[in-house]
Amino acid sequence: MAAQAFVTLATNDSYAKGAMVVGKSLRNHKTSKKLVALIGPHVSDPCQSVLKKIFDEVRIVNVLDSGDTAHLAMMKRPDLGVTFTKLHCWTLTHYSKCVFMDADTLVVSNIDELFDREELSAAPDPGWPDCFNSGVFVFRPSMETYGKLLQYCTEHGSFDGGDQGVLNGFFNDWATADITKHLPFIYNLSSIAIYTYLPAFKQFGSNAKVVHFLGKTKPWSYTFDPKSRQIKGDVQEAATHPTFLLDWWILYSSTVVPMLHEHFGEQPFHSGCVEASGQPLLASAESLASSAERKQLWEQGQADYMGVDSFENIQRKLDAFLNM
Ligand code: UDP
Ligand code: GLC
Ligand code: MN
């Protein structure tokens, strides 16, 4: 029997950090499957080197972009046209069966049993449960299917401008045809579910096997102080997935960051971890509360140059922003 593999995707260094965590979390939970990372040509050399250490195969693919700004605007995610690149996963025909995992997922227990499922198995999307979420799915690589998918894109496009619209259009009987193709939600627990259905989360959340940080703000959009184990950034958003976000940062800062440091060497690189001695990079709860006031002062030309608005702080904030 040909090998089986978990597959993820990163077109840039930010998503590559996520991909590294996906790979590490699968290894930590002792998967017996191969690990494959599909990457865009713009992923930097040091990141490629780290990916090669974690994954069995790192394959450069050309970036496909839906260019469908109208539909992407409806989702408020203009950045997701490139998710068409995900379709390349069907070309991995040296594997008989694969499980695709978005780079913004985190595996919290062994999920090798997913390989007992057939194409196309996936969990419901929390926003529209008659559609499957394309962040985690079981598929069979096949050049024939790949060709048909590309043809589908040309003929019908995507109703959301991203891969999920195409895949739900193509595998359009998923909602009704075969219940065995419905993965339990715990295989793709999107952080959104925590605030949209809190009692269910309290009841079932501890059974989660894969957490998906779906949405615009990703774990790597925050910063983290490994010493105090504190996450910095938009505290309100962070509060929607508190412990999972911390799990992600602990795994990333303890296992991935040392590898990144090794490979970036002297080159500038931002891990997102704040120095123990440094000031908080982004807003903390207290400073958020007063940010409107600060903005007003700033606009009146009364910036707090010696304190929160010091050049050093602004520089750091810009650096963090540019490296997100
Ligand atoms: N992706 C990528 N580069 C991008 C955007 C997306 O590599 O600029 C890949 C990555 O694997 C990501 C997936 O496409 O996890 C889907 O995008 P995202 O997770 O941001 O969508 P969401 O789950 O938030 O809807
Ligand atoms: C979704 C999925 C993601 C997909 C995006 C665009 O919300 O989580 O995997 O890339 O939609 O279709
Ligand atoms: Mn995702």
Side-chain angles (χ1 to χ4, degrees):
M1 189 180 67
Q4 302 179 326
F6 284 101
V7 183
T8 189
L9 163 71
T11 62
N12 56 40
D13 278 14
S14 299
Y15 279 93
K17 292 176 183 174
M20 291 164 196
V21 171
V22 174
K24 275 281 179 190
S25 66
L26 282 161
R27 296 258 184 244
N28 280 355
H29 296 288
K30 312 230 173 317
T31 182
S32 63
K33 311 298 175 184
K34 296 283 184 198
L35 303 188
V36 180
L38 301 177
I39 59 166
H42 298 300
V43 172
S44 69
D45 288 342
C47 280
Q48 291 195 27
S49 305
V50 173
L51 286 165
K52 281 178 191 151
K53 282 200 164 162
I54 301 171
F55 289 81
D56 297 292
E57 184 180 346
V58 176
R59 180 183 281 218
I60 300 180
V61 294
N62 51 354
V63 173
L64 303 174
D65 193 333
S66 71
D68 186 350
T69 44
H71 283 121
L72 292 165
M74 277 202 274
M75 280 206 296
K76 298 198 171 57
R77 293 294 301 277
D79 50 320
L80 288 189
V82 295
T83 64
F84 268 31
T85 313
K86 211 186 265 188
L87 302 177
H88 279 296
C89 69
W90 264 274
T91 66
L92 296 168
T93 51
H94 47 307
Y95 302 104
S96 58
K97 196 188 276 185
C98 296
V99 172
F100 181 88
M101 316 263 313
D102 263 9
D104 59 342
T105 58
L106 174 71
V107 175
V108 294
S109 77
N110 185 289
I111 50 168
D112 285 359
E113 69 271 17
L114 284 179
F115 290 84
D116 297 340
R117 305 269 179 164
E118 266 313 317
E119 175 173 284
L120 184 289
S121 294
D125 185 84
W128 196 269
D130 279 348
C131 286
F132 58 84
N133 181 275
S134 62
V136 176
F137 62 88
V138 182
F139 69 101
R140 274 188 187 279
S142 145
M143 286 313 285
E144 193 190 336
T145 311
Y146 178 66
K148 286 183 181 165
L149 277 165
L150 291 190
Q151 195 186 341
Y152 185 93
C153 290
T154 329
E155 285 172 11
H156 307 274
S158 162
F159 70 77
D160 71 2
D163 64 290
Q164 182 161 306
V166 175
L167 293 173
N168 274 277
F170 189 81
F171 296 100
N172 64 2
D173 65 354
W174 172 85
T176 52
D178 182 354
I179 193 67
T180 66
K181 294 185 179 176
H182 284 228
L183 297 182
F185 194 58
I186 52 167
Y187 288 100
N188 185 350
L189 178 80
S190 31
S191 32
I192 291 176
I194 302 175
Y195 59 86
T196 51
Y197 197 0
L198 186 62
F201 176 73
K202 285 194 168 149
Q203 183 73 5
F204 306 114
S206 60
N207 302 329
K209 288 178 184 252
V210 179
V211 180
H212 185 181
F213 298 94
L214 189 147
K216 207 163 59 192
T217 313
K218 299 302 184 197
W220 53 88
S221 316
Y222 301 90
T223 52
F224 179 68
D225 179 350
K227 278 238 166 83
S228 66
R229 294 195 158 186
Q230 267 181 1
I231 290 159
K232 323 236 171 200
D234 184 334
V235 270
Q236 257 161 3
E237 278 194 56
T240 60
H241 33 59
T243 58
F244 296 136
L245 190 58
L246 198 56
D247 291 343
W248 189 95
W249 269 101
I250 289 171
L251 181 58
Y252 169 74
S253 63
S254 62
T255 66
V256 171
V257 172
M259 295 168 87
L260 285 168
H261 275 303
E262 190 188 320
H263 286 275
F264 271 91
E266 295 299 305
Q267 293 177 57
F269 138 73
H270 291 264
S271 67
C273 293
V274 286
E275 315 278 310
S277 59
Q279 305 217 345
L281 277 177
L282 297 176
S284 66
E286 310 84 73
S287 67
L288 259 187
S290 63
S291 65
E293 193 190 346
R294 228 175 70 220
K295 185 167 177 250
Q296 204 181 5
L297 287 170
W298 174 276
E299 281 162 5
Q300 292 166 355
Q302 299 174 31
D304 179 12
Y305 289 118
M306 305 305 282
V308 278
D309 302 318
S310 72
F311 177 73
E312 197 193 9
N313 270 358
I314 294 168
Q315 173 92 31
R316 283 200 217 183
K317 189 161 177 165
L318 284 175
D319 284 349
F321 186 68
L322 291 171
N323 284 286
M324 265 179 349

